[in-house]
Amino acid sequence: MTDQTAAPAPANHPEGYEPAKVWTWNKENGGRFAAINRPIAGPTHDKDLPVGKHPLQLYSLATPNGVKVTVMLEELLALGHAGAEYDAWLIKINTGDQFSSGFVSANPNSKIPALVDHSDPARPIRVFESGAILIHLAEKFGAFLPTEPAARAETLSWLMWQMGSAPYLGGGFGHFYAYAPFRIEYAIDRFAMEVKRQLDVLDRRLGEAEYLAGDEYTIADMAVWPWYGALAKGLVYEAGEFLAVQDYRNVQRWTDQIAERPAVKRGRMVNRVFGEPSSQLWERHDAGDFETKTADKLTAS
């Protein structure tokens, strides 16, 4: 006979918890982000999005997903693509800017970043999801996405790898390690194991190629670096020591190499509201803003 006795609950699991037959929303759930998390979509208030002078209008915040796009735009400008000039408007997600009627019209999923391309004023194009924005810009300007079939497939494969993997890093490991109202050993162990597996995937790839898609720097690197480069330097979730990130030598090499790119340095400043004031450019409407409108200069004036 098989033993049908249920295994005892772990010590850090609330004794006797059983999911209800029908889930109901408890507004107190959600840890640090309980005030903005909700189980429904759509706008909470009416507010139009601002529109600046450039065809490309970005609505974002310098989270890893936001940094992907500002790095791409700055890299395009560094290559001489004048049409990549852009306005970057700050979306304060902790106060619910992403639930305005204007933002929801640009992204019905209410997540940053969102791009509206006004290159044809009669037919603006909305683009949401950071990977889709990178592809849109790469194809629009013919840059950072190879056209040779094998290289293109490799680039898009690593881009989609990031889109599928990062939720385990952020919403999985990051949430339960840094943001949850209490720590659950099982959840942290589960997602720490997966994040270390992901780091090993990257480390092995970067041991055989300079960049993720091969010899060329592409949108795949721009997508992965803001998440896993920050992780490799212990800059997210205060988890560098816990995950022994220094052991991934090839990831460290690649992270440092990309961090030295001037366009990357500029891109990570845009829509940034944390860190050294001199590294924060809350909104970007002109290339000169990097010299005159960082937080330290605005505060001083």
Side-chain angles (χ1 to χ4, degrees):
M1 295 178 64
T2 57
D3 186 0
Q4 300 297 320
T5 304
N12 61 0
H13 184 79
E15 190 66 35
Y17 169 74
E18 286 290 337
K21 289 185 177 181
V22 178
W23 181 84
T24 57
W25 180 26
N26 178 351
K27 292 184 179 181
E28 301 303 317
N29 286 343
R32 184 181 301 186
F33 303 104
I36 60 172
N37 288 338
R38 59 196 183 112
I40 56 175
T44 60
H45 58 284
D46 289 329
K47 184 178 180 181
D48 292 335
L49 289 176
V51 178
K53 61 184 178 181
H54 302 297
L56 298 178
Q57 299 293 302
L58 180 67
Y59 306 93
S60 192
L61 180 70
T63 66
N65 286 332
V67 169
K68 297 174 194 177
V69 178
T70 50
V71 164
M72 174 62 162
L73 288 164
E74 292 298 328
E75 291 281 13
L76 288 168
L77 291 169
L79 281 183
H81 293 286
E85 271 292 349
Y86 66 104
D87 291 277
W89 302 93
L90 180 63
I91 299 296
K92 295 175 282 188
I93 61 174
N94 61 324
T95 59
D97 286 355
Q98 70 274 32
F99 300 119
S100 74
S101 56
F103 192 89
V104 172
S105 71
N107 182 359
N109 196 38
S110 291
K111 303 288 185 181
I112 62 94
L115 178 77
V116 181
D117 185 343
H118 295 268
S119 296
D120 179 354
R123 298 184 64 186
I125 299 171
R126 74 175 186 185
V127 194
F128 57 92
E129 294 297 330
S130 55
I133 296 173
L134 292 178
I135 294 171
H136 175 80
L137 293 172
E139 292 181 338
K140 182 181 181 72
F141 294 102
F144 302 114
L145 178 58
T147 56
E148 190 276 322
R152 178 183 174 86
E154 190 75 13
T155 301
L156 293 177
S157 293
W158 283 107
L159 174 63
M160 298 306 162
W161 177 89
Q162 187 279 320
M163 303 296 286
S165 296
Y168 290 97
L169 169 57
F173 174 77
H175 177 79
F176 286 107
Y177 186 82
Y179 302 142
F182 53 87
R183 287 181 166 176
I184 301 171
E185 182 180 0
Y186 172 80
I188 292 173
D189 282 349
R190 166 68 180 86
F191 289 110
M193 177 172 63
E194 172 60 14
V195 170
K196 287 186 70 68
R197 189 193 69 80
Q198 293 173 3
L199 285 168
D200 194 43
V201 169
L202 290 175
D203 204 61
R204 290 169 185 266
R205 172 57 179 164
L206 292 168
E208 62 189 20
E210 184 175 5
Y211 296 106
L212 288 171
D215 295 334
E216 294 184 25
Y217 171 67
T218 69
I219 57 174
D221 302 287
M222 297 178 203
V224 175
W225 181 83
W227 279 102
Y228 293 89
L231 181 67
K233 294 302 177 182
L235 300 178
V236 290
Y237 314 128
E238 298 182 354
E241 182 179 6
F242 181 72
L243 296 172
V245 293
Q246 72 282 353
D247 293 346
Y248 302 95
R249 303 290 181 84
N250 298 315
V251 175
Q252 293 289 339
R253 183 270 305 165
W254 168 85
T255 296
D256 292 340
Q257 186 175 351
I258 292 177
E260 287 303 310
R261 297 179 68 90
V264 171
K265 292 180 180 180
R266 291 192 298 274
R268 67 187 301 270
M269 293 173 62
V270 180
N271 298 142
R272 186 179 176 91
V273 295
F274 53 88
E276 289 294 324
S278 60
S279 74
Q280 300 178 34
L281 183 61
W282 298 331
E283 291 190 350
R284 185 251 192 234
H285 303 288
D286 185 87
D289 292 347
F290 289 101
E291 302 300 326
T292 61
K293 294 185 179 178
T294 52
D296 58 324
K297 293 182 174 65
L298 291 178
T299 302
S301 63

